[in-house]
Amino acid sequence: MSELRAGDVVEIRRWDTVRHHGVVDVVCPRLDVLWVLDGPLRDRTLVHASEYTIWRMPHRARAC
């Protein structure tokens, strides 16, 4: 959690099932929460880190 930064692409999983996939908007390690811009519509979702596993995804190179 402390290594996450705004702009990181993450998958939020619970019991090996992806619940959210998006871009980190805000990280608050002191409260153990983060906001993720989730899905194709980039809905802002509050995630309680203690309830999930968080996987940082590699950034993919964009085609020109």
Side-chain angles (χ1 to χ4, degrees):
M1 176 85 166
S2 62
E3 296 178 12
L4 290 175
R5 301 286 180 257
D8 285 345
V9 177
V10 293
E11 280 188 353
I12 310 297
R13 301 177 187 183
R14 184 177 225 175
W15 298 303
D16 294 327
T17 301
V18 176
R19 301 294 182 173
H20 306 284
H21 178 90
V23 177
V24 174
D25 186 31
V26 176
V27 179
C28 188
R30 186 173 53 109
L31 299 176
D32 204 28
V33 299
L34 64 146
W35 287 96
V36 176
L37 303 175
D38 187 15
L41 298 178
R42 297 178 61 92
D43 295 321
R44 195 166 187 240
T45 303
L46 177 65
V47 175
H48 295 272
S50 62
E51 298 175 12
Y52 299 92
T53 57
I54 302 168
W55 294 76
R56 186 177 348 163
M57 309 305 291
H59 290 277
R60 294 187 181 106
R62 294 185 183 180
C64 296

